[in-house]
Amino acid sequence: MNKHIADTKNNDVIRPTQAEAEAAVKTLLLWLGEDTSREGLIETPKRVAKAYKELFSGYQQSPEEELGTVFEEVAGYKDMVLIKDISFFSHCEHHMVPIIGKAHVGYLPNGSVVGLSKIARVVDMFAHRLQTQESMTAQIAHSIQNILKPLGVAVLIEAEHMCMAMRGIRKQGSTTLTTTFTGAFETDIANQVRFMTMLRSGS
């Protein structure tokens, strides 16, 4: 087994070095038929490695860190908290091309709330990983449910997939919608209806 793929003792991924990552980019450029010695491409492997570090920074973040601080002084507030239109971009794990969309996240507090920016950061964290939209939707919902332990969580994601727009079928403008409901949203259809109604209001 390649020593850079996995450590069989603790099953952790062992990362290649920066130089190895840059060499891999150079290999792809050569495979495409490019001249990697020309001026415009000399620094490209280094730039791509740096960009990937930023684009996939979600692997270095955890939802526990983002959702670890809650506020219990909420004057008895028990109604839905809804954060709409959280813009994100991600990358399809099948072709590594962009997924661009918006996430809508609602939850029913159970005695405490979390800072609104924390919800957006959780969306961003999972978006900055290789993804399928279905997995990302479930990851956001279940992370919030398991860490905050609210009465329920609702997540709806709408996104355009560049793997459909740029290659293959090449259909621009098509949108995919996915949802995940937990707790009181999963068991009570009235909560789902209210979530969807609130999403449409003011849109």
Side-chain angles (χ1 to χ4, degrees):
M1 177 180 285
N2 188 322
K3 69 176 181 177
H4 298 303
I5 301 302
D7 181 340
T8 55
K9 186 175 182 180
N10 59 22
N11 207 31
D12 289 335
V13 172
I14 299 176
R15 296 185 186 179
T17 65
Q18 175 83 12
E20 288 171 323
E22 292 176 16
V25 175
K26 185 175 181 179
T27 297
L28 283 173
L29 290 170
L30 291 168
W31 177 72
L32 291 173
E34 268 289 1
D35 176 8
T36 56
S37 65
R38 68 180 177 87
E39 183 181 12
L41 291 179
I42 290 175
E43 296 297 317
T44 294
K46 184 180 295 184
R47 294 190 193 102
V48 171
K50 182 179 179 181
Y52 268 38
K53 193 171 184 179
E54 180 180 351
L55 293 172
F56 301 109
S57 59
Y59 291 110
Q60 279 69 62
Q61 299 170 303
S62 72
E64 288 81 7
E65 292 176 0
E66 297 297 347
L67 300 172
T69 301
V70 297
F71 304 98
E72 297 182 355
E73 294 183 8
V74 292
Y77 186 84
K78 297 180 180 179
D79 208 347
M80 189 189 311
V81 177
L82 172 61
I83 305 95
K84 295 170 55 176
D85 299 326
I86 304 170
S87 298
F88 72 87
F89 63 85
S90 188
H91 285 79
C92 166
E93 67 179 28
H94 300 138
H95 301 99
M96 296 182 70
V97 293
I99 303 169
I100 301 170
K102 292 181 179 180
H104 314 284
V105 181
Y107 71 96
L108 292 166
N110 188 16
S112 62
V113 299
V114 69
L116 300 180
S117 66
K118 299 295 188 179
I119 299 294
R121 286 176 182 169
V122 168
V123 171
D124 233 22
M125 180 192 72
F126 285 114
H128 281 71
R129 301 179 182 185
L130 290 174
Q131 283 290 9
T132 65
Q133 184 173 328
E134 297 88 344
S135 294
M136 181 177 162
T137 308
Q139 288 166 356
I140 293 168
H142 292 306
S143 292
I144 296 170
Q145 181 65 52
N146 293 337
I147 298 167
L148 291 186
K149 303 191 184 308
L151 299 176
V153 180
V155 177
L156 184 149
I157 290 180
E158 47 186 327
E160 183 176 5
H161 293 244
M162 294 301 106
C163 58
M164 284 183 62
M166 297 168 60
R167 57 163 302 281
I169 195 169
R170 297 186 182 179
K171 295 296 181 184
Q172 292 82 27
S174 65
T175 302
T176 300
L177 274 69
T178 50
T179 59
T180 294
F181 299 107
T182 70
F185 283 104
E186 184 177 20
T187 58
D188 189 345
I189 191 68
N191 286 323
Q192 295 182 27
V193 171
R194 189 153 175 264
F195 171 72
M196 301 302 292
T197 301
M198 288 176 69
L199 277 184
R200 295 190 189 100
S201 67
S203 60

